[in-house]
Amino acid sequence: MNSELPRAWTAQDMVDDQSWVQHLDADAIAGFEQALTHVKNVNKPMLDMTENDFPLNEAAKKALRSAFGATQGRWGVCLLKGFPVHNWSEDDARLVYWGIGLHVGVARTQNRASDVMTSVRDVGASYKTKNGRGYNTNAKLDFHADSADVVALLTLRTAKSGGESKITSSIAVIEEIERCRPELLEVLRAPIHHSYQGTQAPDQPPYYQCPILGSQPTHFALRANRKNTVAAERDFPELPRLTEQQNQALDLLDQLLADPRFCYSMWLEPGDLQLLNNYVILHSRTEFEDYEEFHLKRHLLRLWLAIPGSQPLPEEWRDYFGDVRAGSVRGGVRGQGISDEFLAYEQRQADHMGMPLNINQNLQTSNNRKSA
């Protein structure tokens, strides 16, 4: 793990110190281009590929180590700029992006279909409806954390207008709550229900219980998604109602996450790879207007990754993440489409990265598939 733990930052800190921004040099770019040529000749399905099928030179490897390592350090975020996406077709970009993932961690499934890579683009879906997800709409998003150690977004095209990325240090926000409303910290550490928004496995209930603020003694951890918390109360009458103090805590959290003192806004450009540590950063984006032509529409590729350098998680998060050990394979949403090919990839990649994998989860998933 990184020797320096994440610390609180303000929006002004991000302006004053740009060390969280890194740039690919010419040698690294050449390394990714050469690996793309190689992997296209290999011609394997993504889930059958290994790191050897996407061989990177030392400059490209160093860039990835530095960028992903930065997510576990001071800022909890890294913006790696300079991927030559203008040279690549969408299929090429997907191959490169998957190849990157093979070098750094284990991809997690992200939706009801159990996709390991998703396109973040507007397909006309609705956000704040039952089982609505934000990544396939043009809506303004609530601040939230995704379900993995690191969420990685590679920008291929930007919108006609809007779609600004917003990130906030959850450590800084909790420090502010401790200053102004300290009694609400225990409220945030108490159990609270959230909706899976239809992304649960067939054997799981449609909601889960997970405190927003973790109690792990050595590492800060917070995960929040107000939309999913509201949905749990709205859609499942058997669950307890939110208390007045819980609503106050969630309201204050929403207010501070968007506060310009804490929220840093950035315009992602084509070729930018944004990496966020989901335990110390919450993110959002503004509404956007897109082009009518499909080939011009805003498009980002998203990976959720478990990485070997990750922190331990709070014990009370085990039911949701599946594992709380540092550097373990955890997170994601299992969905309805877990395949034998994914399970084989997951085990192979975990072994390759030296990451512990909860085999009971794999066995349970496999047995569920066979009995379905």
Side-chain angles (χ1 to χ4, degrees):
M1 286 187 293
N2 197 300
S3 59
E4 182 183 22
L5 295 180
R7 305 198 309 272
W9 51 257
T10 65
Q12 191 59 49
D13 291 334
M14 297 288 276
V15 173
D16 294 341
D17 183 346
Q18 294 275 301
S19 60
W20 54 276
V21 181
Q22 300 181 19
H23 297 263
L24 292 176
D25 63 23
D27 287 344
I29 292 171
F32 289 109
E33 296 276 31
Q34 291 159 8
L36 172 60
T37 299
H38 184 276
V39 77
K40 288 169 77 171
N41 289 329
V42 169
N43 194 28
K44 282 185 181 178
M46 281 202 321
L47 289 174
D48 290 345
M49 288 166 53
T50 69
E51 180 181 306
N52 291 334
D53 296 318
F54 193 76
L56 291 174
N57 64 16
E58 188 52 39
K61 289 180 181 179
K62 181 179 178 182
L64 293 181
R65 285 195 300 268
S66 177
F68 279 85
T71 66
Q72 307 304 298
R74 160 72 178 105
W75 300 104
V77 57
C78 182
L79 184 65
L80 183 58
K81 299 179 70 68
F83 286 93
V85 297
H86 56 279
N87 291 340
W88 302 337
S89 67
E90 183 176 323
D91 287 343
D92 288 347
R94 288 178 177 276
L95 279 174
V96 172
Y97 205 31
W98 186 249
I100 288 171
L102 292 171
H103 280 266
V104 299
V106 182
R108 315 312 297 139
T109 46
Q110 302 181 32
N111 54 20
R112 184 181 179 88
S114 305
D115 292 323
V116 291
M117 185 187 300
T118 53
S119 283
V120 179
R121 60 181 164 197
D122 180 23
V123 295
S126 297
Y127 178 44
K128 292 197 174 181
T129 58
K130 185 171 183 178
N131 295 342
R133 302 286 299 280
Y135 70 91
N136 54 11
T137 76
N138 69 339
K140 174 185 175 182
L141 304 185
D142 290 345
F143 278 89
H144 62 283
D146 288 337
S147 302
D149 297 334
V150 173
V151 54
L153 288 170
L154 177 64
T155 305
L156 305 184
R157 291 187 300 274
T158 56
K160 185 177 181 180
S161 64
E164 186 178 29
S165 176
K166 293 180 174 291
I167 59 173
T168 300
S169 165
S170 48
I171 304 176
V173 166
I174 290 300
E175 288 182 355
E176 179 66 10
I177 292 176
E178 186 173 23
R179 186 191 67 79
C180 66
R181 292 291 305 275
E183 75 279 9
L184 294 181
L185 292 182
E186 285 309 307
V187 177
L188 293 172
R189 291 190 182 102
I192 191 168
H193 286 91
H194 317 270
S195 171
Y196 270 114
Q197 299 286 24
T199 63
Q200 70 274 10
D203 63 313
Q204 291 178 304
Y207 49 79
Y208 61 95
Q209 183 175 277
C210 181
I212 289 171
L213 180 60
S215 62
Q216 212 285 333
T218 59
H219 290 75
F220 179 94
L222 181 145
R223 62 168 281 104
N225 188 332
R226 185 70 179 274
K227 180 175 73 73
N228 291 358
T229 310
V230 169
E233 182 175 55
R234 180 194 67 210
D235 297 336
F236 307 111
E238 67 271 24
L239 296 181
R241 305 297 89 181
L242 294 171
T243 67
E244 181 180 351
Q245 273 206 321
Q246 282 177 321
N247 278 314
Q248 287 179 11
L250 293 173
D251 287 345
L252 182 57
L253 193 61
D254 285 346
Q255 175 188 329
L256 292 174
L257 287 168
D259 189 316
R261 291 177 296 165
F262 303 113
C263 177
Y264 181 79
S265 300
M266 69 178 87
W267 291 103
L268 298 178
E269 301 174 335
D272 284 354
L273 176 60
Q274 184 193 63
L275 305 172
L276 304 178
N277 178 335
N278 279 303
Y279 311 129
V280 300
I281 302 290
L282 295 181
H283 63 281
S284 177
R285 68 139 198 263
T286 62
E287 184 180 8
F288 63 88
E289 179 189 1
D290 223 338
Y291 296 96
E292 291 188 10
E293 300 89 345
F294 183 79
H295 70 283
L296 296 177
K297 287 183 179 294
R298 182 181 190 268
H299 189 194
L300 294 78
L301 294 177
R302 185 176 74 178
L303 285 174
W304 287 354
L305 294 160
I307 63 171
S310 67
Q311 67 182 61
L313 293 180
E315 180 60 34
E316 61 270 22
W317 287 14
R318 181 181 296 275
D319 284 348
Y320 181 70
F321 278 93
D323 205 323
V324 296
R325 293 172 290 177
S328 62
V329 178
R330 62 196 182 195
V333 290
R334 299 303 273 185
Q336 309 287 311
I338 296 290
S339 64
D340 289 337
E341 291 78 11
F342 172 76
L343 295 175
Y345 152 80
E346 189 177 46
Q347 185 67 65
R348 183 176 62 247
Q349 188 68 2
D351 291 343
H352 174 66
M353 301 300 297
M355 298 173 67
L357 173 65
N358 185 344
I359 60 170
N360 290 331
Q361 178 175 269
N362 262 358
L363 290 173
Q364 185 177 18
T365 301
S366 181
N367 289 336
N368 289 338
R369 287 183 64 257
K370 291 173 183 176
S371 62

